[in-house]
Amino acid sequence: MCYDWGESNEEAVSVLEGQAGWLSCPLFSHPSVYNYTSTQSAGHNLFWYRLPEGHDLEQPITYSLRLSKDRERLWLQPAMAEDTGLYICMLRNKSSCSKIAMRLKVLRLDEVVREPDCQPPVVVAPTHLVIPLQEEKTLECPNLQDATKMADGPTTVTWYHVRVEHMKCYQYPFWNSERQQKGASLQFYVMYLEYQGLYVCTVTYLRRGRALNFTRSINVTAVNPSNLPKEPSILHPTKDQVFTVKKDTEVRLVCRGVLPYLNSSWEIWWTVDGKTLDKLADQRFTNSNRSVCVCSLLTYYYGDRTEESVLVIKDFQSEDLNREYNCSVRNDRGFETRRAQLEEEDDKEYDVYISYARNSEEEQFVLTTLRRVLENELGYSVCIFDRDSLPGGTITDETLSFVARSRRLLVVVSPGYASKGSQALLELKAGIDGMALDGHLRVILVQYKPVQRKGWVRELRRARVALALVRWQGDKSRELTSHFWKRLRVELPVRRVSSRDEEEDSKEVALMRLHSQNSTNSQTGLITTTVKDPQKVFNCSA
């Protein structure tokens, strides 16, 4: 009986025609199962067979000066095109047998694609090596020691450098003192960015009076110096960021972390109530991780990784708001965690409810100017009771309903506003009560004409201290770029922008909104806030 492991799942071995190459028996790739020295001591012998392409019968290898066996390897010195095929290595003694197959491809020169033409062709996949900037490193040609065992004399190595961005090839010497060949090795005394690229080495040696060679390559990448901070950090969410979520929907919480280059393990993950997702007894919670290429950053931060972990919560429920969500990053140098704050989405039907004194000059301003710009120019959904209410309903109930379904109550202040018992006063009371109860409704005052303080009704006088006041200044305020509209947009819900002009204008509004949010706390001390957009970071301190 002979145990057949079938064909190895490793890739086929590639050798260039005319160069030296070898096959290593895959049985010995698992030393805990098969060890060459111990199997020899137990009386096992290794035999090689070949199944040429187009044949069904295995043929034993006939050893020669060109084909020879050395321990677990079958050497081809040099390889020839007809050597292509399936090879079987068999380990056996009188009572047991094991065998496994592997493929060999011998490629002709015209089958190898290479750029530029000055470098020697390479058919073996390159090894990879990272070198920290400003540091030193020694490059050794892969498999050099294998050639030394087979050579009848000293070996020589010729080095080439291929700069990928220019697709240019340079043969040693490289015309600088920071890289020098020391014997067969290539010594980097100081690593610079321009030294990145593919390094090709050709090993030449003599065997039985014949010159033989093989070619290998190393892909060299520069990374940030070892003396830079290597602790991981979390970019997103920011410390004060709040995720808006909606009940009965799929919620996705994104965590993005930076992991500086280290030759070590790293990790980014979410926990819910202090538990990792695999220990959480709720199948609604899953996560996915992916590498993020932020090209504008990675161009300058070599080797640093930006990783993203997304926590997916299916069928989000109100009780999920009370759970604790933390994203963490870790490497061998440090650890950081950050809590994600959640709040339920304010699901309102209208952006703005406009309250004003009916049958007045202000009514014309509301209908022809204020409403038109808010709806048509700025894209807000506006509720005006006299236009949007249905006939036959109860005024009080409908008013309260409309105000409750709005994000903002915009009160146009005038000398005749809110005389007791009027519709406007009912709207004002509903807005102030809603602002005090759930905090989702905000009241904004628009002063169309100057009003003496004694002309303000009691409710407005009490609320005025806590409410935003935006003053209309006639013709000076008509243009959309005027201070009036920008100031009003600061107090209104944030809207998406499309054109470049609107985007630039939106940045100014964002800064004004920031100033407005911080102004009420200016007496408490230093305030530092960061506003981010896709292009700039603004820092403001008060």
Side-chain angles (χ1 to χ4, degrees):
M1 294 294 292
C2 190
Y3 187 81
D4 188 353
W5 290 88
E7 185 174 336
S8 172
N9 56 10
E10 297 178 2
E11 292 185 6
V13 175
S14 297
V15 182
L16 186 66
E17 183 180 25
Q19 288 195 352
W22 58 87
L23 296 169
S24 293
C25 181
L27 288 175
F28 301 103
S29 60
H30 302 283
S32 60
V33 181
Y34 298 100
N35 178 277
Y36 185 80
T37 302
S38 60
T39 55
Q40 294 296 299
S41 301
H44 288 80
N45 290 308
L46 184 64
F47 298 89
W48 285 92
Y49 298 85
R50 177 172 175 248
L51 184 63
E53 289 189 341
H55 292 71
D56 298 325
L57 187 63
E58 300 171 1
Q59 301 175 2
I61 297 293
T62 303
Y63 299 117
S64 63
L65 292 177
R66 191 179 72 84
L67 298 176
S68 61
K69 185 179 69 168
D70 179 61
R71 290 178 59 88
E72 72 274 16
R73 289 183 174 177
L74 176 66
W75 279 81
L76 302 92
Q77 301 179 98
M80 301 176 64
E82 55 267 26
D83 292 330
T84 295
L86 188 70
Y87 287 75
I88 300 98
C89 60
M90 180 183 294
L91 189 65
R92 74 184 185 201
N93 62 10
K94 292 181 179 180
S95 61
S96 65
C97 173
S98 296
K99 66 177 182 178
I100 190 170
M102 60 189 306
R103 293 195 175 274
L104 172 69
K105 291 182 180 179
V106 180
L107 302 176
R108 299 189 306 271
L109 187 61
D110 58 2
E111 295 180 292
V112 182
V113 178
R114 58 195 178 106
E115 290 183 328
D117 291 335
C118 70
Q119 75 177 76
V122 186
V123 297
V124 178
T127 59
H128 295 269
L129 180 68
V130 296
I131 305 179
L133 293 166
Q134 303 298 320
E135 298 182 23
E136 61 178 333
K137 192 74 174 180
T138 300
L139 264 62
E140 303 286 357
C141 188
N143 303 125
L144 175 61
Q145 296 303 317
D146 299 301
T148 303
K149 295 177 183 179
M150 303 301 292
D152 295 333
T155 59
T156 60
V157 178
T158 304
W159 286 93
Y160 303 83
H161 176 207
V162 182
R163 292 189 62 179
V164 178
E165 67 272 23
H166 302 302
M167 290 313 296
K168 291 182 179 180
C169 179
Y170 306 93
Q171 185 175 352
Y172 184 86
F174 302 118
W175 304 290
N176 60 60
S177 60
E178 287 84 9
R179 290 175 296 173
Q180 292 185 1
Q181 185 165 347
K182 294 289 187 179
S185 305
L186 185 61
Q187 180 71 42
F188 287 71
Y189 293 104
V190 181
M191 179 63 184
Y192 294 112
L193 293 178
E194 57 267 27
Y195 294 168
Q196 295 186 110
L198 191 69
Y199 286 80
V200 180
C201 54
T202 297
V203 177
T204 304
Y205 63 97
L206 286 175
R207 177 176 170 82
R208 306 290 176 87
R210 182 172 185 175
L212 297 165
N213 66 76
F214 61 82
T215 305
R216 297 292 185 264
S217 59
I218 307 172
N219 198 353
V220 174
T221 304
V223 296
N224 279 322
S226 302
N227 57 4
L228 289 181
K230 299 297 181 181
E231 294 77 11
S233 60
I234 295 177
L235 295 178
H236 184 276
T238 58
K239 291 183 179 180
D240 300 320
Q241 184 172 354
V242 177
F243 290 91
T244 302
V245 296
K246 190 174 182 180
K247 183 182 176 183
D248 299 325
T249 64
E250 180 180 277
V251 171
R252 303 175 71 87
L253 306 181
V254 176
C255 178
R256 189 173 297 115
V258 173
L259 296 125
Y261 174 78
L262 275 178
N263 188 18
S264 66
S265 61
W266 55 267
E267 191 177 6
I268 179 170
W269 73 99
W270 281 96
T271 59
V272 180
D273 295 334
K275 298 179 180 179
T276 55
L277 301 191
D278 59 325
K279 297 180 180 178
L280 194 68
D282 195 332
Q283 299 301 315
R284 296 181 300 121
F285 292 79
T286 59
N287 78 303
S288 61
N289 292 6
R290 66 185 179 93
S291 295
V292 183
C293 176
V294 187
C295 299
S296 61
L297 294 177
L298 294 184
T299 301
Y300 303 101
Y301 295 96
Y302 292 90
D304 292 359
R305 306 175 67 96
T306 301
E307 293 287 334
E308 187 175 274
S309 180
V310 181
L311 175 62
V312 181
I313 309 173
K314 297 180 180 179
D315 191 24
F316 191 89
Q317 298 301 309
S318 296
E319 55 266 25
D320 294 328
L321 285 169
N322 301 321
R323 310 187 80 157
E324 183 174 321
Y325 304 91
N326 283 284
C327 178
S328 303
V329 290
R330 173 169 41 211
N331 63 12
D332 284 359
R333 296 288 183 85
F335 166 84
E336 185 176 9
T337 188
R338 185 162 295 163
R339 183 173 181 176
Q341 303 179 58
L342 276 59
E343 69 175 14
E344 197 163 3
E345 180 179 324
D346 181 13
D347 191 14
K348 303 287 187 175
E349 183 177 351
Y350 300 100
D351 292 318
V352 184
Y353 182 101
I354 303 180
S355 175
Y356 58 96
R358 275 67 171 177
N359 303 316
S360 65
E361 182 181 351
E362 286 77 11
E363 182 173 16
Q364 186 69 14
F365 165 69
V366 168
L367 298 179
T368 60
T369 301
L370 200 57
R371 178 207 61 79
R372 176 183 59 80
V373 174
L374 290 176
E375 287 186 333
N376 300 336
E377 302 293 334
L378 300 180
Y380 288 100
S381 56
V382 176
C383 178
I384 296 177
F385 184 87
D386 297 333
R387 179 192 65 177
D388 298 321
S389 61
L390 297 176
T394 304
I395 293 179
T396 301
D397 292 342
E398 285 203 71
T399 299
L400 297 177
S401 174
F402 276 128
V403 173
R405 286 147 53 194
S406 303
R407 294 180 177 86
R408 301 288 188 273
L409 173 65
L410 199 158
V411 176
V412 180
V413 180
S414 63
Y417 180 83
S419 56
K420 290 188 177 182
S422 70
Q423 170 74 9
L425 183 58
L426 177 63
E427 294 163 345
L428 175 63
K429 288 183 176 180
I432 294 175
D433 290 345
M435 191 172 179
L437 287 175
D438 58 21
H440 287 156
L441 177 70
R442 288 176 56 188
V443 179
I444 308 167
L445 305 180
V446 172
Q447 183 175 289
Y448 179 64
K449 284 185 176 181
V451 180
Q452 297 294 326
R453 180 174 176 78
K454 62 181 181 181
W456 291 52
V457 294
R458 182 179 58 186
E459 288 77 12
L460 278 179
R461 285 199 301 270
R462 290 177 176 176
R464 170 65 187 90
V465 177
L467 300 182
L469 178 65
V470 186
R471 293 181 173 85
W472 175 264
Q473 294 180 304
D475 292 340
K476 187 178 179 180
S477 299
R478 294 192 182 278
E479 293 294 330
L480 196 58
T481 56
S482 69
H483 180 76
F484 171 82
W485 293 111
K486 290 180 180 178
R487 181 72 183 85
L488 184 59
R489 287 170 62 189
V490 167
E491 305 300 332
L492 293 175
V494 178
R495 304 295 296 172
R496 295 184 181 272
V497 295
S498 54
S499 70
R500 179 170 295 274
D501 290 341
E502 288 175 321
E503 182 177 341
E504 292 300 319
D505 188 47
S506 179
K507 294 175 185 176
E508 183 178 350
V509 171
L511 288 174
M512 293 174 65
R513 180 176 286 113
L514 171 66
H515 175 73
S516 175
Q517 291 171 348
N518 286 338
S519 61
T520 58
N521 300 322
S522 60
Q523 293 88 357
T524 63
L526 182 65
I527 302 172
T528 303
T529 310
T530 303
V531 177
K532 294 186 178 180
D533 67 31
Q535 295 175 328
K536 296 183 179 68
V537 176
F538 302 92
N539 289 295
C540 177
S541 299

